[in-house]
Amino acid sequence: MQTTTGRSTELARLAQQFRLEVLDVLHKKGTGHWGGASSVADLLTHLYFERMNIRPDDPKWEERDRLVLSKGHASAMLYTVLAHRGYFPVEEVQTFRDLNSRLQGHPCMNKTAGVEMSTGALGHGISVGLGMSLASQLSGKNFWSYVITGEGCLDEGQSWEGIMAAAKFKPKKLALLVDYNKVQLDGAASEIMPLDPLDEKFRAFGWRVAPKVYDGHNHDEIAEAFTWLDSEEAGPSVMIFRTHKGKGVSFMEDNHKWHGAPIDDETYAKARPELEAGLAKLEAK
Ligand SMILES: Cc1ncc(C[n+]2csc(CCOP(=O)(O)OP(=O)(O)O)c2C)c(N)n1
C-alpha cells in the first residue's frame, strides 16, 4: 500500500485492523463473505473516519450523510467499521449471524444503528441513494448520499434504471463509489458480464465521471477522488475504485473462491499471519 501522508497511513492501518477482525469473526462463525468485505475495507474506513458528516451518538440526526452499501453481503466489514466509529459496542460484532442478533448476514436498517438501508438483494442501492438525495433537496437539507456498489451489483437491471433516473433528476449530492474488484461470486466479471468500458457507460448515461480510476486501497487516492467530487456541483457523480477481492491475503486476492467460502482452521492459520504482517508494516510507518 503506497500512502504518503500520515493520515492516509493511519486510515490504511485502521482498514487493515478491520480486515483482521473480520477474518477472526468469519472464521469463528464459519460463515460470511470475506472477499467483498476485505475489498471494501478502505472505502468504508475512509468514508466513516474521514469523510462523512455523522453523529454516531445520534444515528437518526436528520442532517447526517447517508451511506447505502448496495453490496450488502459485505456486512461484516460495515458492522466492524460502524462499531469502531461508535454506533454500537465493538464486542457486539461477535454476535455476527447469531440467531436474534442485530447483525445479520445482510444489513437491516430497522435493527442496526448506522445502517441506512437494508441490502443484500443486489442492485437496489443506486435507486435508494437517488431517493435519499432528492429527499435531502426537497426538505431543504444538504446531506450527501453515498452508494457503494460492486460490479456484480451493477449487473442488475435495477442499477441502470437508477442510473438513468439520476441523470434525469440530477441530484446535487449523490455520489456512487464503485468497488471495482472485477471478481464476482463464481468467476471473473469479464466472463460473467463484461462491464468495461465502465466510465464510458456512465458518461453515456449522463453522469459526471471522475477523470481516472483510483486505487481503492490507497487513502491518498481516495482523498483525491473526494477532492474531485467537491470540485463542482453538477449532478450525480461516480468514482471508480480499483480494488482487490480478498485484499491482504496473497492466496485469496482476486480469487472468486473466497467470495463467501467459510474460513476453515487451515485457511485461517495461513491467512491471519499475512494480515498481521501487513498491519505490522503499516504500524512501523
Ligand atoms: C439480486 C441478487 N442476485 C444474486 C445474488 C447473489 N450474489 C451475492 S453476492 C454476488 C456477487 C456480487 O458481486 P459484486 O457486487 O462485484 O461484489 P463483490 O465482488 O465486491 O463481493 C451475487 C451474485 C444476490 N445477493 N442478489
Side-chain angles (χ1 to χ4, degrees):
M1 202 168 294
Q2 290 156 4
T3 51
T4 51
T5 67
R7 182 62 183 153
S8 290
T9 305
E10 173 56 13
L11 290 166
R13 193 198 63 74
L14 266 181
Q16 183 74 358
Q17 180 193 320
F18 299 156
R19 281 191 191 93
L20 250 178
E21 292 182 18
V22 167
L23 187 86
D24 285 348
V25 77
L26 297 195
H27 165 247
K28 190 169 146 193
K29 302 289 171 174
T31 180
H33 293 83
W34 163 254
S38 55
S39 167
V40 79
D42 292 287
L43 294 180
L44 284 175
T45 301
H46 201 102
L47 278 164
Y48 280 95
F49 284 83
E50 186 71 5
R51 171 76 190 179
M52 286 170 66
N53 185 27
I54 45 176
R55 293 180 181 168
D57 55 354
D58 183 9
K60 293 285 177 197
W61 176 47
E62 290 196 355
E63 306 284 342
R64 71 193 184 282
D65 289 343
R66 271 72 163 172
L67 181 277
V68 178
L69 181 64
S70 196
K71 39 168 277 184
H73 56 281
S75 57
M77 187 56 71
L78 178 64
Y79 298 151
T80 301
V81 170
L82 289 176
H84 279 274
R85 193 64 179 83
Y87 284 91
F88 47 83
V90 171
E91 308 82 66
E92 194 175 335
V93 179
Q94 298 307 313
T95 70
F96 179 63
R97 279 195 154 174
D98 284 350
L99 211 56
N100 297 323
S101 166
R102 297 194 284 180
L103 309 182
Q104 286 305 312
H106 296 85
C108 177
M109 62 190 280
N110 298 320
K111 287 188 173 160
T112 312
V115 172
E116 297 288 356
M117 182 63 200
S118 302
T119 50
L122 298 170
H124 297 293
I126 298 170
S127 303
V128 172
L130 169 60
M132 287 172 169
S133 56
L134 292 177
S136 170
Q137 281 170 220
L138 288 170
S139 58
K141 297 194 171 57
N142 198 28
F143 58 79
W144 273 103
S145 300
Y146 298 105
V147 178
I148 298 182
T149 176
E151 75 289 328
C153 198
L154 282 174
D155 285 352
E156 302 294 338
Q158 178 68 36
S159 291
W160 296 94
E161 287 188 38
I163 291 164
M164 279 191 289
K168 171 177 173 170
F169 292 109
K170 297 196 175 14
K172 291 196 185 79
K173 292 189 124 178
L174 174 64
L176 176 63
L177 291 77
V178 182
D179 177 2
Y180 206 22
N181 57 46
K182 304 194 179 191
V183 177
Q184 299 184 13
L185 185 154
D186 55 358
S190 57
E191 289 161 13
I192 293 169
M193 185 55 73
L195 273 172
D196 286 329
L198 188 54
D199 54 347
E200 287 180 25
K201 284 195 171 77
F202 276 106
R203 231 169 259 125
F205 271 72
W207 278 53
R208 179 175 171 247
V209 183
K212 66 182 244 193
V213 173
Y214 302 96
D215 178 345
H217 301 304
N218 180 318
H219 289 267
D220 283 342
E221 291 220 7
I222 301 172
E224 186 187 333
F226 284 117
T227 301
W228 168 82
L229 184 65
D230 293 335
S231 63
E232 58 177 298
E233 224 182 44
S237 302
V238 59
M239 299 166 285
I240 302 172
F241 294 92
R242 180 65 170 111
T243 50
H244 295 276
K245 210 155 171 162
K247 175 70 182 168
V249 181
S250 58
F251 64 93
M252 291 174 162
E253 284 188 11
D254 303 323
N255 183 345
H256 67 81
K257 183 180 168 200
W258 301 105
H259 170 81
I263 312 290
D264 61 20
D265 291 345
E266 195 188 327
T267 306
Y268 182 65
K270 282 194 280 176
R272 198 175 201 282
E274 287 204 24
L275 290 178
E276 285 168 6
L279 186 60
K281 223 164 139 186
L282 288 162
E283 279 169 348
K285 274 198 179 180

